[in-house]
Each structure stands twice: as structure tokens, then as C-alpha cells.
Amino acid sequence: MIPAAFEYHRPSDLQAAIATLREFGDEARVVAGGHSLIPMMKLRMAAIAHLVDLSGIGELKGIRIDGTRVTIGATTTQHELIADKALGRTAPILREAALQIADPQVRYMGTVGGNVANGDPGNDMPALMQCLDATYTLVGPDGSREVKARDFYESAYMTARADDEILTAIRFTAEGGGYAYEKQKRKIGDYATAAAAVSLRKDGGSCSAAAIAMTNLSDVPVFAEAAGKALLGTSCTAADIGRAVEAALSVIEPTADNRGPVEFKRHVAGIIVRRAIERAWSRA
Ligand SMILES: Cc1cc2nc3c(=O)[nH]c(=O)nc-3n(C[C@H](O)[C@H](O)[C@H](O)COP(=O)(O)OP(=O)(O)OC[C@H]3O[C@@H](n4cnc5c(N)ncnc54)[C@H](O)[C@@H]3O)c2cc1C
């Protein structure tokens, strides 16, 4: 399929990109790796008159680690996340999750910023960023602001980002402890039927902190606050984990599609959340 004609812009700095978005308003959209947007354009589900390519903007690239503070530039690719050894030591859950996204070809092009800004409930990085309590930096004509990943998603493809804002970076503090990103998919390269990110800490045999978030089980990523709380102070026995799984399942709203009916998705979600907690606990 061939997309409708569009004009291509490749600014070399952020302000020029924002100015182009402003100039063309609704008709303009940024493109990063293009592996979500271009397929939509080819299918004629999106018609964009002006594409603003972010790949020439140096300040959007790269991973910086300062102690436990991690900053990831928006146009860092999923492949670069996987390959970064320091990031793998500081926040290994990112590597674990990124390796489960699509296939190497997609990961060479797809960016972290595109994955979290897209607003597709099937994208894996949004729930991961909610689990890590990450903050997104958005820059627009009126300056810069920070929005927590847990507050960013409003409904499918609708986020707190204004049309003329660019997501420039993702920041979080790596807490250490146990982690897991578990994903059930029909085949390599597929989006999740259900996936869960878990991060927790073990102090003296009991759970002192826990965060749980889920992918593709609602029209937004789901941060299951009560599920994390259910583990606090416990030693994560099967019964404790059962209570956390129940709390997680109480906040999802899966819909039937070609990955299965609602009952099946709830069943898979329960298994995936349980496995993610068990693995995170075993690593804590
Ligand atoms: C075959 C296939 C399988 C896939 N499987 C998975 C999967 O299992 N899991 C998964 O998570 N993803 C999957 N993807 C999606 C892939 O990871 C995308 O690359 C990613 O979601 C979007 O990143 P991108 O850089 O390609 O964004 P683009 O396609 O360039 O952009 C996506 C959207 O985000 C906006 N955007 C991009 N960057 C920014 C920014 N910095 N600021 C503001 N807005 C921005 C664009 O305007 C656009 O609306 C798959 C894609 C393909 C083609």
C-alpha cells in the first residue's frame, strides 16, 4: 500500500520542529521510527499532509545515567536500549521488555519516545514506564513541562500531550530490587494478548515496595496500585500473590478481538501477572 502524498520536513533542532508543528497545525505530525505511523498512513487510516522527522535532532538522542537517575532521549531506539550495557545493569527491566517488542527489524527503527507517545494500548513501553513511575518531558511553544506516565494516558491514542508538543525525554529513578516483564503473544512480532511489568523490593524477607502495571488489557495502560499494595509487608506466598492478582484483575477492561474473547484475556492476564510477580520476587 502507498500512503497519500505528504510533505517531508527534517528540522535539525527542537525549536524548528515545534515551529513547523505550529505552522501546519492539525495537518502536521512528528515521525520518529515510523513503525506505528507509516503503517497507519499506508493503510490510509491516517492522512498527514506534513511529516516532521525527528531523526535529525541531536538533543533527542541518547541514554544518560547519573547514579540511579536515568534519562532516555525520545529518539533512542528499542535496539539501543537493549544494547546499552550500563542501562542493562541499572534498569534491566527495560532490556527485558524491549526484547519482547516485535522483532529486531522493528526494534532497529522503533523509538522509545514513539512507543510511549503513540497512545496505542498494545505498545509495551507505557505500562513499563508506569511501573517505573517515569516522567515524560514535553516541550511546546510555551516551554517545557513534565507529566507522569501514570497521568499521561486518557483513552486509546489520546494522551495528555498537546498536538504542538514533542516528547523529548523519559526520566525515572532506578529503585533496584526484583523486576519482570512478562508477555503473552500469539507469535513472535505480535502485540500482547496480555503483559505485565512488576518491580518490587524485598527487605528482611518481606515485600517493602511493589509496582504493577499491565499492557493491552484496557484502552490505556493499567497501573494497578491496589495490586502493588496487596503485596506490601507480605512474604509473597501463593495466597499473597493470589490477592494481588485479584486486585489487578479488578481494574482491567479487556475487549474481545482477534486475540480472543474477554474471558480468555482475563484468564491470560491472571497467569501473566502471577508469573511476573513470582519472577520479580525470585530476583529481589
Ligand atoms: C510488525 C510490527 C510489530 C510491532 N509489535 C510491537 C509490540 O509487540 N510491542 C510494541 O510496543 N510495539 C510494537 N510495534 C510498534 C513499534 O514498537 C513502534 O515502532 C513504536 O510503537 C512507535 O515508535 P516509532 O518511533 O516507530 O514511532 P512513529 O511510528 O514514528 O510514531 C508513532 C506516533 O507517536 C508520535 N510520536 C513519535 N515520537 C514522538 C515524540 N518524540 N513526541 C511526540 N509524538 C511522537 C507520532 O506522531 C505518531 O503519532 C510493532 C510494529 C510493527 C511494524
Side-chain angles (χ1 to χ4, degrees):
M1 296 273 292
I2 297 170
F6 58 86
E7 252 187 73
Y8 175 75
H9 306 260
R10 193 167 188 269
S12 55
D13 67 72
L14 192 57
Q15 288 314 318
I18 291 166
T20 310
L21 287 182
R22 226 179 172 193
E23 182 180 352
F24 296 107
D26 279 355
E27 299 201 324
R29 190 89 69 87
V30 299
V31 61
H35 271 50
S36 287
L37 184 56
I38 303 295
M40 297 283 270
M41 291 172 68
K42 286 185 169 180
L43 292 167
R44 307 271 173 141
M45 290 166 79
I48 316 289
H50 295 270
L51 270 191
V52 183
D53 186 350
L54 299 180
S55 65
I57 304 177
E59 64 198 283
L60 298 181
K61 295 184 202 295
I63 299 167
R64 289 177 295 283
I65 302 174
D66 181 9
T68 57
R69 288 294 292 159
V70 178
T71 304
I72 304 174
T75 57
T76 305
T77 64
Q78 291 148 12
H79 169 74
E80 287 164 341
L81 274 191
I82 293 166
D84 193 292
K85 294 218 168 3
L87 185 67
R89 282 190 297 273
T90 308
I93 194 171
L94 277 129
R95 183 170 195 276
E96 181 158 293
L99 276 168
Q100 298 179 65
I101 291 178
D103 51 48
Q105 283 170 307
V106 172
R107 299 195 295 255
Y108 278 124
M109 294 301 295
T111 67
V112 182
N115 199 295
V116 301
N118 194 23
D120 181 341
N123 283 146
D124 288 286
M125 293 277 159
L128 175 64
M129 297 307 170
Q130 290 191 333
C131 175
L132 294 171
D133 199 13
T135 300
Y136 302 156
T137 303
L138 303 172
V139 179
D142 302 325
S144 168
R145 66 188 178 109
E146 309 271 308
V147 180
K148 286 201 166 266
R150 292 176 188 175
D151 299 327
F152 187 71
Y153 299 94
E154 295 171 350
S155 60
Y157 298 101
M158 301 297 290
T159 70
R161 185 181 69 83
D163 288 347
D164 55 4
E165 285 181 313
I166 293 176
L167 192 151
T168 58
I170 297 160
R171 294 189 169 77
F172 62 90
T173 302
E175 304 282 359
Y179 66 90
Y181 192 80
E182 282 279 346
K183 175 172 173 177
Q184 204 274 348
K185 52 190 175 180
R186 295 172 300 180
K187 59 182 174 61
I188 292 293
D190 193 20
Y191 290 86
T193 301
V198 173
S199 170
L200 50 74
R201 279 206 310 275
K202 188 194 274 183
D203 280 310
S206 81
C207 179
S208 58
I212 299 172
M214 294 167 284
T215 298
N216 225 6
L217 291 164
S218 180
D219 65 346
V220 287
V222 182
F223 174 62
E225 190 173 2
K229 281 191 178 151
L231 296 175
L232 294 183
T234 76
S235 50
C236 287
T237 63
D240 300 326
I241 295 175
R243 279 186 283 276
V245 170
E246 281 311 309
L249 295 183
S250 73
V251 287
I252 61 173
E253 290 178 7
T255 50
D257 58 19
N258 54 6
R259 292 188 180 81
V262 169
E263 297 72 20
F264 173 70
K265 291 189 174 185
R266 296 190 76 82
H267 175 71
V268 175
I271 293 170
I272 288 297
V273 172
R274 174 177 292 281
R275 278 188 196 162
I277 297 170
E278 286 172 350
R279 200 140 58 90
W281 184 245
S282 74
R283 287 166 161 170

